[in-house]
Amino acid sequence: MTATHPVTRFAPSPSGHLHVGGARTALFSWAFAKGRGGKFIIRIEDTDQKRSSDAASVGFLKDLEWLGIRWDEGPEYTAPDGSRVGGGPNGSYFQSERLEIYNRYCQKLIDEGKAYEAWDSAEELEAMRKEATAQKVAFRYRFRGPVSAEDRARFIAEGRQAVVRFRSGEVAVTIKDEVLGDATLPAGEVDDFVIRKKDGFPTYHFAVVVDDELMGVTHVLRAQEHFTNTAKHMLLQDALGFRRPVYGHLSIIKNPDDSKMSKRDKDKVLRKAVKEKGLATPPAGTVTAEEWARWIGDDNVQLDLEGAIRLAEALKVQLPEINVDDFRRSGYLPEVLCNFLALNGWSPGHDIEKFDNEFLKERFGLDRVMKTPAKFDRVKLLAFNTDAITGMKPEDFARRCREHARQFRADFLARLDDARFALLMTACQERSKTLDDPFKSNGFLLVADGALAFSDDKNVRKALGIGAAPEAGPTGLAHLRAMRGVLAGISEWTQAALEAAATDYSNAHAGGKIGALAQPLRIAVSGSTVSPPIWDTLVLVGRESALARIDRCVAWASELR
RNA sequence: GGCCCCAUCGUCUAGCCUGGUCUAGGACACCUCCCUUUCACGGAGGUAACGAGGGUUCGAAUCCCUCUGGGGUCACCA
């Protein structure tokens, strides 16, 4: 590959979910390569045996696909539309399946005297670190002299295993970075780091350097936490005679409170709520006692998503969206998420801020990437999503909501016939900020007439005229009683007929103020003062249910004082 | 703590490289008013930033230094 055809890669450790920070890195890497006629590769960095690597380990691939980020090489994946991505000539794209390759290069380094076996135990290393801390210097591992053949044999007999360390040499290293600029680490900063672990697996530093070379990676975009590591990678590249990719380190994405956006944030919110409420046992139907105990006992333990959602509902707290999948569940559009993610850390200039991935691909470059960390502003994301939904063709909105419902709101699909579902869509589009809003805010459509709870709040009382002075005229409740009769006698249960009948009534009895009876009706059929337009709502609920609900509401409200 | 990096409205950012056109632009949020059968949408205005201090210069948001603040990293995790 020449410089005109760059190769980028996204190389996460295995995970079932794609974090927004990772999504942005992937998006930028994809845009950079694809906008220049190059290739985008995905590689799984699963060299840590302690982290499980079951089938769910590449669950995040579906998130990438959903965002519209396709890879030219990498794990094989079949998209929901049946198209296949992945594969490629440089496999395996799982590092755990490339051990012999790493070993070959590792051995080469040992043979050339550029790396060596180190037999220190964890305790010995710990002691050395303590010593360094006591002397207030940073711990740097250095070659401790050759190990004699007898010692080596003894270590092996004892069952000890060696790691392989890279002999870094005490040289200053200048990190070249297209985003942050160049930085020089003084001599001695890089120590003799481990390149092969006791278990025979390569460390990240070693595997990443070997794979980037073998896969022809020309440009590496990764999280800023790797910035200093780059020195190690450069030293390794020199020792191995490898080419050096161009590096660009991306700043982190932060929460509004300045903390780093983390997958643990959900648990953080839940723990806080539990603490505030002084809960000692899990609310019924949320998580099992064992899960609860494990979770409470260790702040590093994360609840599984379903359990976390149930607990959040029970505690009445809102879980923060962290993963791409969370935003999907909340009804955000993938193109909006991409747009917004790109805006966190990059901008095309000229006051342009709404764009699609095609535009990103054409315009993205490292020179306009921000060096500073960005706070993830969900409010602005929501505004972007709202704009996109408002501008959507009604048929597209309906189609995408239906798809969303299939995944996350199956009960609506089951309960509403096609005509009503379609009406719900048209009634909701202009007031929806997400694909989930039509469902989230219209739960009253699913409850049985006899189970609808009326909200006893200020707005409801005002609309119903509870406690109003008699001389103020007929109350909302009185209008509701009267409208019950009007509605029962209506010939056709359509928006037009309902509105006409209500208008007649309001002209005759409410001074032409339709709101005087629309609000009580809304309360009666939906339980609160908020719903889609009232005539749509009445049609959605249906005549029989509407009348039944009005009766119940009248009975309920008559008891209010 | 050592090493490295960074610094424009509350937030995301434009401008900085190639000093003057910047009494610093846009977007989201916020405030006011209008529209309105609820909620939301929409319309019209408005508040709001160059972290501090020194230089360089006729002139600095833009160049240099110091301070302050923030971030990253110092694993047999990636």
Side-chain angles (χ1 to χ4, degrees):
Chain A
M1 281 285 159
T2 66
T4 51
H5 293 292
V7 177
T8 60
R9 50 51 169 200
F10 177 57
S13 47
S15 167
H17 299 285
L18 182 63
H19 183 268
V20 288
R24 190 188 59 174
T25 303
L27 181 64
F28 285 174
S29 300
W30 169 87
F32 186 88
K34 301 315 284 179
R36 290 168 176 74
K39 275 195 308 191
F40 174 60
I41 299 176
I42 288 182
R43 181 175 71 224
I44 311 298
E45 313 237 309
D46 55 349
T47 55
D48 184 359
Q49 293 196 80
K50 286 192 280 291
R51 296 195 197 182
S52 69
S53 48
D54 55 9
S57 70
V58 291
F60 71 89
L61 292 176
K62 72 168 189 321
D63 299 326
L64 281 175
E65 196 279 334
W66 179 70
L67 288 173
I69 301 172
R70 298 268 172 128
W71 50 105
D72 301 297
E73 289 181 33
E76 293 182 22
Y77 177 80
T78 303
D81 68 5
S83 63
R84 298 181 62 86
V85 267
N90 298 305
S92 165
Y93 296 92
F94 290 81
Q95 291 186 327
S96 59
E97 296 173 0
R98 300 169 63 81
L99 259 33
E100 60 279 31
I101 298 173
Y102 308 123
N103 280 332
R104 207 160 64 229
Y105 284 101
C106 188
Q107 192 56 49
K108 181 169 175 259
L109 251 23
I110 294 174
D111 292 345
E112 294 172 356
K114 292 171 178 169
Y116 58 89
E117 289 179 331
W119 296 86
D120 315 84
S121 66
E123 295 70 35
E124 286 168 328
L125 285 171
E126 191 46 43
M128 286 189 269
R129 276 197 194 94
K130 267 211 175 108
E131 172 69 19
T133 310
Q135 295 187 3
K136 289 187 180 147
V137 294
F139 173 64
R140 301 277 183 262
Y141 190 99
R142 295 286 166 215
F143 184 56
R144 306 176 73 208
V147 175
S148 68
E150 300 88 77
D151 281 346
R152 189 172 188 276
R154 185 166 50 81
F155 288 148
I156 293 172
E158 285 172 359
R160 247 156 113 147
Q161 286 166 305
V163 298
V164 175
R165 285 181 181 270
F166 177 69
R167 199 190 292 256
S168 67
E170 302 206 20
V171 291
V173 187
T174 296
I175 299 169
K176 300 230 183 270
D177 186 296
E178 292 293 311
V179 172
L180 297 177
D182 299 349
T184 301
L185 259 43
E189 269 303 303
V190 181
D191 71 351
D192 288 3
F193 56 95
V194 173
I195 59 174
R196 185 170 63 196
K197 298 181 264 189
K198 219 159 48 177
D199 62 8
F201 275 58
T203 58
Y204 163 74
H205 304 301
F206 195 63
V208 82
V209 162
V210 170
D211 286 344
D212 282 345
E213 167 73 14
L214 264 32
M215 295 178 181
V217 172
T218 63
H219 295 256
V220 173
L221 300 188
R222 56 180 12 170
Q224 201 181 37
E225 65 204 70
H226 292 300
F227 183 68
T228 320
N229 289 334
T230 310
K232 293 178 176 155
H233 304 166
M234 291 170 63
L235 255 20
L236 241 20
Q237 283 152 357
D238 290 349
L240 257 8
F242 288 169
R243 295 161 295 182
R244 183 169 294 162
V246 172
Y247 287 97
H249 290 91
L250 274 21
S251 60
I252 59 162
I253 296 179
K254 297 194 291 180
N255 287 312
D257 69 356
D258 266 336
S259 62
K260 185 174 170 180
M261 214 172 171
S262 145
K263 59 188 173 194
R264 299 196 204 290
D265 287 351
K266 281 185 224 182
D267 296 79
K268 221 158 77 183
V269 166
L270 291 171
R271 285 196 162 91
K272 187 160 168 265
V274 165
K275 207 170 163 192
E276 275 169 7
K277 292 190 161 67
L279 284 184
T281 53
T286 54
V287 298
T288 65
E290 298 83 69
E291 284 174 313
W292 174 269
R294 231 162 44 84
W295 181 70
I296 288 291
D298 183 354
D299 276 3
N300 289 319
V301 172
Q302 289 178 251
L303 245 30
D304 68 88
L305 185 59
E306 298 304 325
I309 290 174
R310 285 194 299 270
L311 188 55
E313 273 169 17
L315 296 171
K316 299 203 170 19
V317 293
Q318 182 94 40
L319 289 179
E321 294 105 345
I322 299 298
N323 299 317
V324 168
D325 194 51
D326 298 333
F327 289 97
R328 181 181 194 177
R329 185 182 294 267
S330 294
Y332 289 90
L333 307 168
E335 64 271 31
V336 170
L337 227 204
C338 282
N339 182 178
F340 189 71
L341 241 19
L343 235 32
N344 273 250
W346 180 79
S347 99
H350 306 291
D351 292 337
I352 299 170
E353 57 173 12
K354 297 285 181 68
F355 51 81
D356 59 13
N357 282 356
E358 243 353 82
F359 177 95
L360 216 215
K361 216 172 78 177
E362 299 307 321
R363 301 289 200 88
F364 182 79
L366 267 22
D367 53 329
R368 294 188 69 91
V369 172
M370 280 283 132
K371 300 178 182 194
T372 47
K375 280 184 209 179
F376 196 83
D377 184 357
R378 291 159 211 282
V379 180
K380 184 161 179 175
L381 204 216
L382 225 211
F384 272 36
N385 210 60
T386 307
D387 288 349
I389 283 179
T390 306
M392 223 178 249
K393 281 189 280 194
E395 59 267 35
D396 288 335
F397 178 71
R399 180 178 50 77
R400 295 179 74 161
C401 275
R402 186 176 281 276
E403 180 54 33
H404 179 82
R406 227 194 303 280
Q407 302 228 22
F408 306 110
R409 297 289 189 176
D411 40 359
F412 275 85
L413 242 22
R415 290 287 282 279
L416 267 39
D417 57 39
D418 283 355
R420 282 185 190 186
F421 193 89
L423 173 58
L424 180 65
M425 295 301 102
T426 54
C428 288
Q429 181 169 2
E430 69 173 12
R431 70 204 73 242
S432 289
K433 296 172 190 285
T434 70
L435 295 181
D436 197 52
D437 280 0
F439 314 110
K440 188 169 64 189
S441 50
N442 292 315
F444 66 88
L445 292 173
L446 297 184
V447 303
D449 297 336
L452 182 68
F454 301 103
S455 169
D456 182 6
D457 60 49
K458 211 172 65 191
N459 291 338
V460 166
R461 283 175 172 263
K462 187 173 173 224
L464 258 22
I466 306 299
E471 61 272 22
T475 62
L477 180 54
H479 287 312
L480 184 58
R481 283 201 185 93
M483 281 303 292
R484 203 278 179 207
V486 174
L487 262 29
I490 209 165
S491 57
E492 246 183 275
W493 196 259
T494 62
Q495 288 96 323
L498 287 162
E499 184 169 5
T503 304
D504 287 347
Y505 173 87
S506 105
N507 285 338
H509 307 286
K513 287 173 70 178
I514 213 113
L517 52 103
Q519 279 305 80
L521 279 173
R522 196 185 306 281
I523 293 161
V525 296
S526 79
S528 82
T529 51
V530 178
S531 87
I534 185 60
W535 320 125
D536 287 335
T537 303
L538 285 168
V539 172
L540 245 11
V541 169
R543 171 183 230 138
E544 201 181 320
S545 285
L547 295 177
R549 289 175 183 210
I550 291 169
D551 288 339
R552 277 193 69 235
C553 186
V554 167
W556 170 78
S558 302
E559 299 295 313
L560 290 177
R561 289 292 170 268

